[in-house]
């Protein structure tokens, strides 16, 4: 089985587009967190608490969905390359997979997705610390939600092998 080169390029373009959208989301998130950090917590305590949660939760959830698409699509390209190898050439996806089997990437900095997840985990802890005095229950619940989304982002690269195997099975059925 082979795929039209234009279709292959569409998948690669979507991966690149997802990565760009993550950056476009992440920069305003950092700015928003900075602005919220200088807000007057005593006067607008609940509003600040809710706004901070919305900014962090929205950005982290959006990052999680884009990260999933990046790894899903990258695994498709890798599975497709394994299915129809070109004689005498090496595919980047295959070489990268082999490299990662031999040399494990560093835990947090090995994938941008894990780095962003770690940053969101720190944000969630800072969120709880910042708003615990204002409303302990709400700060804890919202902090746990933020941490769970960050943890999901952190685990997406680990699931890549499962995505790859699913794509291989689907492509072999064709």
């Amino acid at each position: 089985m082979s795929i039209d080169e234009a279709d292959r390029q569409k998948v690669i373009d979507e991966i690149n587009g997802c990565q760009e959208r993550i950056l476009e989301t992440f920069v305003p998130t950092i700015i928003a967190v900075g602005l919220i950090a200088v807000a007057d917590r005593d006067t607008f305590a609940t509003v600040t608490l809710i706004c901070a949660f919305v900014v962090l939760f929205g950005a982290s959830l959006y990052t999680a969905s884009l990260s999933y698409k990046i790894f899903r699509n990258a695994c498709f390209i890798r599975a497709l390359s394994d299915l129809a190898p070109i004689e005498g050439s090496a595919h980047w996806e295959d070489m990268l997979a082999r490299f990662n089997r031999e040399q494990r990437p560093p835990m947090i900095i090995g994938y941008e997705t894990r780095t962003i997840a770690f940053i969101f985990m720190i944000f969630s802890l800072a969120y709880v610390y910042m708003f615990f005095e204002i409303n302990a229950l709400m700060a804890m619940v919202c902090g746990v939600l933020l941490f769970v989304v960050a943890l999901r982002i952190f685990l997406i690269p680990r699931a890549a092998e499962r995505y790859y195997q699913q794509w291989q099975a689907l492509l072999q059925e064709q």
Side-chain angles (χ1 to χ4, degrees):
M1 167 176 220
S2 66
I3 188 171
D4 180 56
E5 191 58 37
D7 285 342
R8 182 186 189 106
Q9 191 59 44
K10 284 180 194 175
V11 174
I12 292 170
D13 290 344
E14 184 178 9
I15 292 169
N16 292 333
C18 287
Q19 291 169 332
E20 289 171 13
R21 290 194 304 266
I22 285 175
L23 285 176
E24 290 168 0
T25 301
F26 195 60
V27 171
T29 301
I30 291 174
I31 293 169
V33 169
L35 291 174
I36 291 167
V38 298
D40 184 4
R41 293 189 321 159
D42 295 329
T43 308
F44 301 105
T46 305
V47 172
T48 305
L49 185 146
I50 293 169
C51 289
F53 174 76
V54 168
V55 167
L56 291 174
F57 187 74
S60 63
L61 196 58
Y62 187 62
T63 299
S65 66
L66 290 174
S67 297
Y68 167 75
K69 284 179 76 172
I70 289 167
F71 278 88
R72 180 200 64 199
N73 294 354
C75 290
F76 170 73
I77 295 292
R78 183 175 154 216
L80 186 65
S81 297
D82 287 351
L83 192 59
I86 300 171
E87 292 297 322
S89 67
H91 291 286
W92 166 248
E93 297 85 6
D94 182 46
M95 298 303 290
L96 183 60
R98 284 200 263 162
F99 178 83
N100 285 339
R101 278 194 297 272
E102 299 291 323
Q103 173 71 41
R104 282 297 211 201
M107 180 58 92
I108 293 172
I109 61 171
Y111 298 104
E112 292 90 345
T113 301
R114 286 193 175 148
T115 304
I116 289 172
F118 186 73
I119 292 167
F120 278 123
M121 286 176 181
I122 299 299
F123 280 166
S124 71
L125 296 174
Y127 179 89
V128 171
Y129 176 77
M130 207 170 140
F131 296 111
F132 191 80
E133 291 176 4
I134 295 168
N135 188 329
L137 180 61
M138 186 183 282
M140 292 297 289
V141 168
C142 291
V144 167
L145 286 173
L146 292 172
F147 195 84
V148 166
V149 174
L151 183 62
R152 178 61 186 121
I153 297 169
F154 191 79
L155 295 175
I156 287 173
R158 179 178 237 169
E161 191 60 34
R162 190 178 72 238
Y163 303 152
Y164 169 67
Q165 291 169 357
Q166 288 171 334
W167 279 121
Q168 275 188 320
L170 287 172
L171 287 169
Q172 288 175 356
E173 289 175 8
Q174 294 294 326

